[in-house]
């Protein structure tokens, strides 16, 4: 049973319309102004009155029309001028205008319907001292609320030493003699003629009690009124026996879990929620209320603190399984070792307080909801946008409507220090109302321990509250005393209602404490001695609430003891059963992934080539804009050329191949989504998948209008400028459903390092830690064109270093080696050189029965390079992705015995080498491109070395004529990764001790020079050296140019 009259209703009946204050009068002003001559429209066109100010002026106008005498004379002058059609400037602007408008609103609201009587104390522009006192409590009452269970409120001493004088009646002109005077004021729970003392008591009970409300910073006055009507409801905090006992039972379950583990595993790390138990009780209540209001899925992201409790008491992970994980009986060690031996791959696992799961719960009212807790690393707040990405995907696949957006609710838990300190929190909040990233509102829960590891609040932020960032986004913020679970539950239920009503985020700041150190094995007395002396004497939250229930007569001590004992018994029984729990170390918990192979399973793949006629049909659709659509003249020329190339079928460029891959996947039923800062046009103006009418700015997307039969949806959305958050969002999107090609494109590959945490902790290692597959594709523009240190390199060496294949593993060189190799690898790193290979790389992602991340060091200059073309036949039937491309000059490839110099490279430098070779007329040099660097194509390299058997491979000490050429400095790029793998290939495949020669830029701290002439000189030197070499018969000149690196 949910207490409070407004909670008895469905969400559809929750007040959503504008409040009664001045609405009709405001509409009259709108109508009057709309039909008035230009001179009378100053009310809305003046620079001060424009935008949100118009709303404030409407409110003031409504108040002025109702009672001009209650307003200052300057407002009368202004509104009379407006009505007369004269040019006039509002007397106020900015915050002063908003404040005056809020006053006017409050004056007309039923809750503060102040009438002038014997007790009224005049003062202020719009209503007097009592009006201002009420407003002060509504705005700042939280600053004197009883929020700290320990009674310290140290953050107020640090950040608000002066207190809140506005909450003192004397500040508003009252004296002690006024306290017992009657006033005619209408407040919920206050009868007419109440004394000032009674009014003060009501205000303190509402705004300065165990919950502090911050909501008057919200600019939308309808939302302010919506919140105010609920907060000031006398039944807001539950008081019924049934509700309070239900809260106690939930609290006892949370508390028992922590106490039980503390008894059994006193020094084991569990990152318990001891001291903040009410937060778990609260989120349970919020989810239950949200389910009543139509939520069917809840996705939770949270750090380690309280995670185990969340798993058992919210997600409903079986206690037996949880205890088995503590005992180490949840998997068979011998079985795990057998799998490692037989399949040469094993699940690494993770610590208990990083694991996630999913479960379907049935709630008391009979409705059910699926609750998912995301796996997460120790990097605080990193899981935030991963959670939102999965949420958005669930909403999309459920129908992608407003209703489905309301039905899937995300919840994010935070720590106080991390919420105020981690920049990704700001990025997360900034996504809230961005198209294709909007998840319909997130409930943010801060477990505010009032400490960050060993750091006091005064050192971890510059604001009064750790939650103050929420005010920048006009979010309501509820501060709760963690020792009052009834108030906490009321705040959480209100948060759920807010989210369902307004589709907006909300922040709940549960102010509590951390009973032990950062983890249970650490002694906090070293750094916070006085604080922890206080905590040691403070009773547990369950004991505080139990005492309150007994003293108030809600329940007897025996009744509560019986309830607690029953819960403890359940834990004992589950603990005993954990000894025989039958679990699996490689159990993969996921939805919509049935039938997909784990790295230890047999896997298969399907062809990626397509019928030529179908490719042309798709391509032609990509060249056709709607009739009457005003295309940019440059785009007209591009589309005309694209169509001609498709008809000829001999020169398909990069952008066309990419679009053909997307279009074909859409027709096969695969959803395609690409996001990033400039993805609609492409950073280099090559993609233009969403175009704009030059006259109307209307948009058109070719790929959503193929008209070739049923197709899935294509999403291309420019994102906020935040790599960390957006990459995490797209990763989470991939977790929900494997039947989608999800791509994140960096503006430049160089900028991907701002998302390094996401790459390291999730993309690279997620499957190994959590058996959580993803097919996320990352496009990272890469290539050296003289654009300086931040526009040249995607730092491909970092991705290669994190690749988990062993350079000394002896490859089998057997059939299907490439597929089985990728299946066991943690990801794929490619730097393709042909449009056809790009086409197949995208399609290969979806044409296998397993998923792996794909990192593409994508091009910048090859979009328009005259040589970077593919015949349509390379995309046709029987074509496929090529991990290594052999020599492409037919004459050289046809005479391998004439080749005495073999150059391997990757990416754009291939074309520099080819053009220089043609200029020099060389026929003795073969140039091969390693298209897929990781996992390394041992088998293809072996074949190449066998083909060009007259090339000197070195003598085991000195290099021969097998060269690795790269644009990057020697300490960057692929060299460190590929070198030992080439050696292994020659040793294990050809029984030769090869010494490979390096040709590329010298080692450097900066990825590239900023001087165009230096860049050109470096490029010329490395290309010439790779093709011609130098006279070094005695191996005396290992570094022929100071621009280049040592060659061994």
């Amino acid at each position: 049973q949910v207490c409070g009259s407004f909670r008895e209703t469905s969400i559809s009946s929750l007040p959503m319309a504008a409040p009664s204050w001045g609405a009709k009068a405001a509409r009259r002003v709108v109508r009057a102004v709309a039909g008035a001559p230009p001179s009378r429209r100053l009310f809305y066109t003046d620079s001060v009155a424009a935008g949100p100010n118009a709303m404030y002026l409407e409110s003031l106008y409504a108040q002025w029309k109702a009672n001009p005498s209650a307003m200052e004379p300057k407002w009368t002058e202004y509104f009379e001028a407006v009505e007369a059609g004269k040019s006039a400037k509002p007397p106020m602007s900015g915050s002063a205008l908003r404040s005056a408008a809020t006053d006017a609103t409050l004056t007309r609201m039923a809750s503060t319907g102040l009438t002038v009587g014997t007790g009224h104390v005049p003062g202020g522009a719009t209503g007097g001292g009592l009006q201002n006192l009420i407003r002060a409590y509504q705005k700042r009452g939280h600053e004197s609320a009883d929020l700290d269970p320990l009674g310290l409120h140290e953050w107020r001493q640090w950040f608000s030493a002066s207190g809140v004088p506005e909450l003192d009646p004397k500040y508003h002109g009252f004296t002690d003699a006024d306290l017992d005077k009657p006033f005619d004021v209408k407040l919920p729970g206050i009868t007419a003629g109440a004394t000032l003392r009674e009014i003060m008591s009501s205000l303190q009970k509402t705004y300065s009690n165990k919950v502090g409300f911050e909501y008057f910073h919200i600019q939308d006055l309808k939302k302010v009124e919506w919140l105010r009507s609920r907060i000031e409801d006398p039944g807001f905090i539950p008081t019924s026996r049934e509700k309070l006992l239900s809260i106690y039972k939930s609290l006892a379950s949370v508390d028992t879990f922590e106490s039980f583990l503390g008894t059994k595993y006193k020094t084991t790390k569990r990152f318990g929620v001891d001291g903040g138990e009410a937060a778990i009780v609260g989120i349970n209540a919020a989810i239950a209320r949200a389910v009543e209001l139509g939520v069917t899925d809840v996705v939770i992201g949270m750090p380690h603190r309280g995670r185990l409790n969340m798993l058992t008491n919210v997600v409903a992970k079986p206690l037996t399984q949880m205890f088995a994980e503590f005992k180490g009986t949840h998997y068979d060690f011998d079985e795990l070792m057998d799998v490692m031996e037989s399949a040469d791959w094993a699940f690494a696992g993770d610590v208990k307080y990083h694991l996630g799961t999913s479960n379907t719960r049935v709630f008391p009212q009979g409705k059910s909801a699926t609750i998912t807790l995301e796996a997460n690393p120790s990097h605080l707040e990193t899981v935030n946008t991963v959670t939102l990405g999965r949420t958005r995907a669930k909403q999309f696949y459920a129908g992608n409507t407003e209703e489905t957006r309301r039905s899937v609710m995300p919840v994010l838990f935070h720590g106080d220090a991390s919420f105020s300190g981690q920049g990704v929190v700001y990025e997360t909040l900034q996504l809230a109302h961005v198209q294709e990233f909007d998840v319909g509102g997130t409930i943010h829960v801060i477990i505010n321990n009032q400490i960050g590891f060993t750091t006091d609040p005064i050192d971890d932020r510059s604001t009064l509250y750790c939650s103050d960032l929420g005010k920048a986004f006009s979010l309501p913020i509820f501060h709760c005393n963690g020792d009052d679970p009834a108030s906490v539950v009321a705040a959480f239920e209100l948060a759920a209602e807010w989210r369902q009503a307004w589709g907006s985020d909300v922040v709940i700041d549960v102010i509590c404490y951390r009973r032990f150190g950062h983890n249970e094995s650490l002694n906090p007395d070293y750094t916070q001695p006085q604080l922890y002396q206080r905590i040691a004497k403070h009773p547990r939250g369950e004991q505080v609430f139990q005492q309150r229930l007994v003293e108030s007569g809600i329940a007897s001590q025996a009744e509560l003891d019986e309830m607690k004992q029953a819960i403890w018994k359940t834990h004992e029984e589950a603990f005993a059963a954990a000894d025989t729990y039958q679990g699996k170390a490689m159990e993969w918990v996921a939805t919509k992934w049935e039938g997909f192979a784990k790295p230890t399973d047999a896997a298969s793949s399907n062809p990626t080539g397509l019928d030529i006629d179908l490719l042309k049909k798709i391509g032609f659709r990509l060249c056709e804009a709607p009739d009457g659509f005003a295309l940019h003249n440059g785009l007209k020329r591009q589309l005309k050329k694209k169509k001609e190339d498709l008809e000829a079928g001999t020169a398909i460029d990069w952008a066309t191949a990419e679009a053909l891959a997307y279009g074909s996947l859409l027709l096969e039923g695969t959803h395609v989504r690409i996001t990033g800062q400039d993805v609609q046009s492409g950073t280099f103006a090559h993609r233009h998948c969403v175009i704009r009418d030059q006259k109307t700015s209307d948009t058109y997307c070719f790929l959503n209008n193929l008209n070739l039969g049923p197709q899935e949806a294509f999403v291309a959305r420019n994102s906020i400028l935040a790599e960390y958050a957006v990459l995490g969002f797209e990763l989470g999107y991939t977790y929900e459903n494997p039947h989608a090609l999800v791509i994140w494109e960096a503006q430049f590959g160089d900028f991907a390092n701002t998302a390094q945490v996401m790459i390291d902790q999730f993309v690279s290692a997620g499957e190994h830690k959590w058996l959580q597959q993803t097919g996320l594709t990352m496009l990272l523009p890469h290539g050296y064109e003289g654009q300086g240190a931040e526009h040249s390199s995607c730092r491909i060496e970092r991705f290669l270093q994190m690749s988990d294949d062993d350079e000394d593993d002896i490859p089998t060189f057997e059939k299907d080696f490439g597929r089985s190799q990728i299946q066991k690898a943690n990801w794929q790193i490619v730097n393709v050189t042909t449009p056809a290979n790009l086409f197949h790389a995208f399609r290969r992602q979806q044409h296998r029965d397993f998923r792996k991340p794909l990192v593409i060091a994508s091009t910048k200059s090859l979009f328009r390079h005259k040589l970077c073309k593919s015949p349509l036949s390379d995309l046709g039937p029987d074509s496929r992705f090529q991990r290594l491309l052999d020599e492409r000059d037919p004459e050289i490839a046809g005479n391998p015995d004439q080749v005495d110099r073999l150059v391997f490279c990757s990416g754009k430098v291939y074309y520099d080498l080819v053009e220089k070779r043609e200029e020099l007329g060389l026929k003795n040099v073969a140039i091969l491109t390693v298209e897929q660097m990781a996992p390394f194509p041992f088998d293809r390299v072996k074949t190449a070395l066998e083909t060009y058997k007259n090339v000197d491979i070195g003598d085991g000490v000195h290099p021969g004529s097998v060269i690795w050429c790269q644009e990057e400095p020697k300490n960057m790029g692929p060299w460190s990764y590929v070198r030992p793998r080439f050696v292994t290939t020659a040793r294990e495949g050809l029984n030769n001790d090869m010494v490979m020669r390096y040709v590329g830029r010298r080692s450097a701290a900066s990825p590239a020079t900023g001087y165009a002439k230096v860049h050109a000189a470096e490029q010329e030197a490395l290309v010439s050296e790779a093709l011609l070499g130098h006279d070094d018969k005695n191996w005396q000149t290992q570094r022929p140019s100071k621009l280049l690196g040592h060659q061994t």
Side-chain angles (χ1 to χ4, degrees):
Q1 167 112 22
V2 182
C3 297
S5 58
F6 67 89
R7 297 170 189 266
E8 310 272 337
T9 60
S10 66
I11 193 66
S12 60
S13 63
L14 294 174
M16 294 285 291
S20 58
W21 50 268
K24 292 181 179 178
R27 285 196 295 270
R28 283 198 298 270
V29 171
V30 173
R31 287 197 296 269
V33 172
S39 61
R40 298 191 63 187
R41 297 180 185 175
L42 291 173
F43 194 93
Y44 289 90
T45 59
D46 179 84
S47 60
V48 175
N53 287 341
M55 178 178 65
Y56 304 143
L57 290 171
E58 289 173 5
S59 177
L60 288 162
Y61 178 77
Q63 171 67 6
W64 177 77
K65 292 294 286 185
N67 186 7
S69 63
M71 306 279 286
E72 293 184 11
K74 57 187 178 184
W75 285 110
T76 296
E77 294 174 10
Y78 171 66
F79 288 125
E80 285 179 347
V82 170
E83 289 190 333
K86 299 178 182 178
S87 177
K89 183 178 181 181
M92 299 178 182
S93 63
S95 60
L97 175 61
R98 182 178 181 276
S99 180
T102 305
D103 281 343
T105 300
L106 291 171
T107 299
R108 295 190 58 82
M109 288 191 306
S111 67
T112 55
L114 188 64
T115 60
V116 179
T118 56
H120 176 62
V121 178
T126 58
L130 185 53
Q131 171 68 38
N132 292 336
L133 177 62
I134 292 170
R135 180 166 174 262
Y137 267 94
Q138 291 169 328
K139 290 188 68 175
R140 301 193 65 185
H142 59 88
E143 293 184 55
S144 68
D146 181 13
L147 300 178
D148 185 356
L150 303 176
L152 298 174
H153 297 95
E154 287 189 339
W155 70 89
R156 288 177 183 161
Q157 301 168 33
W158 291 327
F159 298 111
S160 184
S162 61
V164 193
E166 296 95 319
L167 302 183
D168 187 342
K170 294 178 181 178
Y171 180 89
H172 302 282
F174 293 102
T175 66
D176 290 343
D178 296 317
L179 289 175
D180 294 311
K181 288 182 180 179
F183 289 83
D184 293 331
V185 59
K186 294 179 181 177
L187 277 170
I190 295 293
T191 58
T195 66
L196 180 59
R197 191 186 304 276
E198 291 170 331
I199 295 170
M200 285 288 297
S201 176
S202 178
L203 290 171
Q204 290 167 353
K205 181 179 179 182
T206 301
Y207 287 104
S208 295
N209 200 357
K210 301 292 185 178
V211 184
F213 302 97
E214 288 191 272
Y215 65 103
F216 266 68
H217 57 276
I218 298 173
Q219 295 182 351
D220 189 334
L221 298 181
K222 295 188 293 295
K223 293 179 179 179
V224 172
E225 163 63 5
W226 188 93
L227 286 164
R228 187 206 56 76
S229 66
R230 285 152 177 76
I231 291 166
E232 293 181 356
D233 187 322
F236 176 71
I237 307 297
T239 57
S240 72
R241 168 181 161 84
E242 181 182 5
K243 181 70 173 182
L244 293 176
L245 286 181
S246 173
I247 293 171
Y248 175 78
K249 184 177 181 180
S250 179
L251 178 63
S253 295
V254 174
D255 180 78
T256 299
F257 179 83
E258 301 295 352
S259 298
F260 188 87
L261 286 176
T263 301
K264 301 293 184 181
Y265 301 97
K266 190 172 182 62
T267 59
T268 299
K269 287 185 183 180
R270 55 185 168 84
F271 294 97
V273 74
D274 307 75
E277 297 91 344
I280 307 298
V281 177
I283 198 58
N284 247 331
I287 292 173
R289 180 62 178 142
V291 170
E292 288 181 27
L293 300 175
V295 167
T296 58
D297 284 87
V298 179
V299 186
I300 304 172
M302 71 178 301
H304 41 281
R305 175 105 24 234
R307 186 179 191 86
L308 302 183
N309 213 311
M310 176 75 74
L311 281 166
T312 55
N313 282 301
V314 178
V315 188
K317 181 176 182 176
L319 273 173
T320 302
Q321 182 179 352
M322 177 62 72
F323 292 148
E325 291 173 5
F326 271 89
K327 292 183 174 185
T329 59
H330 63 299
Y331 68 94
D332 187 318
F333 174 77
D334 292 333
E335 177 187 346
L336 188 64
M337 293 300 100
D338 288 344
V339 170
M340 183 176 290
E341 288 293 332
S342 61
D344 195 26
W345 192 93
F347 171 41
D350 203 351
V351 291
K352 297 178 288 296
Y353 39 83
H354 287 175
L355 302 178
T357 193
S358 185
N359 198 17
T360 299
R361 275 183 59 188
V362 178
F363 290 83
Q365 67 272 29
K367 294 183 178 180
S368 63
T370 299
I371 304 176
T372 301
L373 179 64
E374 291 289 347
N376 79 298
S378 285
H379 293 65
L380 300 177
E381 308 294 344
T382 299
V383 77
N384 291 359
T385 56
V386 178
T387 304
L388 301 189
R390 186 193 290 271
T391 300
R392 183 71 190 96
K394 282 179 176 286
Q395 295 166 347
F396 176 86
Y397 293 118
N400 200 26
T401 64
E402 284 301 316
E403 188 60 32
T404 61
R405 192 163 301 189
R406 284 159 46 89
S407 69
V408 186
M409 182 178 78
V411 175
L412 292 177
F413 273 70
H414 313 269
D416 48 320
S418 62
F419 190 86
S420 58
Q422 290 290 313
V424 72
V425 177
Y426 176 89
E427 296 181 20
T428 301
L429 295 175
Q430 192 64 267
L431 288 173
H433 299 296
V434 177
Q435 291 185 69
E436 298 299 341
F437 295 92
D438 185 346
V439 294
T442 301
I443 295 180
H444 297 271
V445 181
I446 302 173
I447 297 184
N448 187 347
N449 296 142
Q450 307 182 69
I451 190 172
F453 205 130
T454 64
T455 303
D456 293 317
I458 193 173
D459 296 317
D460 70 23
R461 63 178 187 264
S462 300
T463 56
L464 176 61
Y465 295 111
C466 62
S467 57
D468 278 352
L469 178 61
K471 289 191 281 193
F473 294 89
S474 292
L475 308 184
I477 302 170
F478 310 145
H479 306 281
C480 309
N481 185 315
D483 264 3
D484 190 343
S487 295
V488 170
V489 164
F492 271 80
E493 289 179 342
L494 178 59
E497 292 165 2
W498 165 271
R499 190 267 177 184
Q500 293 302 95
W502 297 102
S504 177
D505 291 16
V506 56
V507 180
I508 307 170
D509 175 23
V510 182
I511 298 169
C512 49
Y513 57 91
R514 191 186 66 199
R515 183 162 289 277
F516 306 108
H518 178 67
N519 64 63
E520 287 71 15
S521 65
L522 295 178
N523 185 348
D525 295 343
Y526 291 112
T527 53
Q528 277 80 24
Q530 291 180 304
L531 174 64
Y532 274 87
Q533 289 168 14
R534 186 73 164 259
I535 290 173
K537 297 175 183 177
H538 191 75
R540 296 182 69 87
E542 179 271 332
Q543 295 171 327
V544 173
F545 193 54
Q546 182 187 93
Q547 182 179 352
R548 171 183 160 187
L549 295 182
V550 172
E551 290 178 352
S552 63
I554 294 294
S556 66
Q557 185 67 54
E559 187 178 6
L560 300 180
D561 288 345
E562 182 180 359
M563 192 181 298
K564 186 78 181 287
Q565 289 164 8
I567 295 170
W568 188 275
K569 182 180 179 183
T570 300
H571 283 65
E572 288 284 10
E573 291 171 349
F575 188 78
D579 291 333
T580 56
Y581 177 80
Q582 297 293 315
K584 293 182 178 180
M586 295 184 62
E587 189 172 15
W588 186 12
V589 180
T591 57
K592 300 182 179 67
W593 288 77
E594 294 81 3
F596 279 77
K598 296 191 289 290
T600 53
D601 298 333
S604 62
S605 61
N606 297 313
T608 55
L610 282 178
D611 178 75
I612 298 295
D613 289 337
L614 177 59
L615 286 169
K616 287 189 174 182
K617 289 178 181 178
I618 296 171
F620 292 152
R621 290 291 189 272
L622 301 176
C623 303
E624 299 170 355
D627 292 339
F629 195 91
L631 284 169
H632 188 282
N633 288 334
L635 192 57
K636 286 181 183 178
R637 292 191 294 271
Q638 291 180 42
L639 295 181
K640 181 175 180 293
K641 179 66 165 60
K642 188 190 297 282
K643 190 169 185 178
E644 292 171 353
D645 291 342
L646 284 162
E647 288 171 341
T650 57
I652 302 303
D653 66 17
W654 198 278
T656 303
E658 177 187 312
L660 289 172
Y662 298 161
S664 60
L665 289 170
L666 294 171
L667 293 175
E668 292 169 354
T670 295
H671 170 42
V672 179
R673 174 185 169 98
I674 179 170
T675 67
Q677 285 143 35
D678 306 285
V679 298
Q680 292 182 344
S681 66
T683 300
F684 310 98
H686 74 284
R687 185 173 291 122
H688 294 298
C689 60
V690 177
I691 59 175
R692 288 190 178 272
D693 188 294
Q694 296 299 298
K695 296 180 179 178
T696 66
S697 289
D698 290 341
T699 60
Y700 178 77
C701 179
F702 298 102
L703 284 161
N704 277 325
N705 294 276
L706 295 176
N707 299 318
L708 294 172
Q711 69 165 88
E712 253 295 351
F714 174 74
V715 172
R717 180 60 58 187
N718 295 339
S719 73
I720 67 171
L721 206 158
E723 292 81 10
Y724 191 169
V726 177
L727 177 61
F729 192 99
E730 300 311 316
L731 177 69
Y733 200 99
T734 68
Y735 283 162
E736 178 58 20
N737 193 321
H739 303 293
L741 177 64
V742 179
I743 303 165
W744 174 74
E745 182 175 54
Q747 188 182 59
F748 284 86
D750 315 62
F751 305 151
N753 56 13
T754 66
Q756 199 66 47
V757 174
M758 199 66 67
I759 294 167
D760 292 354
Q761 311 311 129
F762 277 93
V763 184
S764 167
E767 183 180 22
H768 201 203
K769 292 191 292 186
W770 307 316
L771 280 178
Q772 192 159 253
Q773 289 192 12
T774 172
L776 177 71
T777 297
M778 299 169 60
L779 288 176
L780 309 179
H782 175 89
Y784 281 58
E785 284 107 10
Q787 298 300 309
E790 280 74 53
H791 295 83
S792 299
S793 174
C794 74
R795 298 288 192 163
I796 198 167
E797 64 277 1
R798 294 180 178 173
F799 296 96
L800 293 171
Q801 183 196 31
M802 289 189 286
S803 298
D804 64 359
D805 58 324
D806 190 329
E807 65 192 46
D808 292 316
D809 265 355
I810 301 173
T812 63
F813 303 117
E814 295 175 354
K815 182 182 178 182
D816 292 332
F817 164 72
R819 185 176 67 239
S820 61
Q821 183 192 33
I822 290 175
Q823 191 184 355
K824 290 184 172 65
N826 61 324
W827 56 12
Q828 311 146 96
I829 315 298
V830 305
N831 190 2
V832 298
T833 58
T834 70
N837 235 11
L838 181 75
F839 171 87
H840 290 295
F842 284 131
R843 288 183 51 77
R844 184 177 68 159
Q845 280 294 87
Q846 296 303 119
H847 279 253
R848 299 184 292 215
D849 59 357
F850 60 90
R851 294 290 180 262
K852 294 289 175 179
L854 171 63
V855 179
I856 301 178
S858 56
T859 187
K860 295 183 290 184
S861 61
L862 298 186
F863 292 124
R864 298 169 183 85
H865 198 289
K866 62 183 179 181
L867 298 179
C868 188
K869 311 286 183 181
S870 292
L872 204 55
S873 58
D874 282 359
L875 285 65
D878 301 322
S879 63
R880 60 186 299 171
F881 180 80
Q882 300 296 323
R883 290 175 289 138
L884 181 144
L885 283 173
D886 203 345
E887 173 57 57
R888 300 173 216 179
D889 183 306
E891 183 180 349
I892 297 174
N895 295 281
D897 292 347
Q898 303 300 313
V899 172
D900 60 12
R901 194 168 183 85
L902 185 57
V903 180
F904 289 92
C905 64
S906 187
K908 167 239 156 190
V909 72
Y910 166 77
Y911 291 97
D912 296 338
L913 290 164
V914 167
E915 289 180 307
K916 188 67 174 180
R917 183 179 65 179
E918 184 176 346
E919 176 190 325
L920 297 172
L922 302 175
K923 296 298 181 181
N924 66 317
V925 181
I927 306 172
L928 287 68
T929 56
V930 179
E931 303 281 297
Q932 175 182 294
M933 283 170 285
F936 190 75
F938 291 99
D939 51 336
R940 297 290 188 262
V941 170
K942 174 176 177 287
T943 300
L945 293 174
E946 289 173 330
T947 300
Y948 301 100
K949 54 189 176 184
N950 289 333
V951 176
D952 177 11
I953 66 171
D955 61 7
V957 177
H958 304 101
S961 296
V962 180
I963 293 110
W964 175 260
C965 179
Q966 68 178 39
E967 298 181 293
E968 303 88 350
K970 188 177 183 181
N971 58 322
M972 303 177 194
W975 170 244
S976 297
Y977 175 85
V978 301
R979 177 190 186 184
R981 288 163 177 80
F982 273 105
V983 171
T984 296
T985 304
R987 184 184 70 240
E988 304 299 338
L990 305 174
N991 197 30
N992 288 322
D993 194 1
M994 183 173 74
V995 181
M996 201 166 196
R997 188 182 296 269
Y998 168 81
V999 177
R1001 285 176 170 83
R1002 61 184 292 168
S1003 291
S1006 174
T1009 178
Y1011 296 117
K1013 291 181 180 179
V1014 174
H1015 163 78
E1018 291 173 341
Q1019 203 74 3
E1020 174 66 23
L1022 71 89
V1023 169
S1024 296
E1025 177 64 25
L1027 295 173
L1028 299 172
H1030 61 281
D1031 185 7
D1032 189 24
K1033 292 182 180 179
N1034 297 318
W1035 299 292
Q1036 298 297 309
T1037 308
Q1038 295 185 24
R1039 188 178 178 189
S1041 168
K1042 295 298 183 181
L1043 294 172
L1044 304 180
H1046 285 272
Q1047 295 197 350
T1048 56

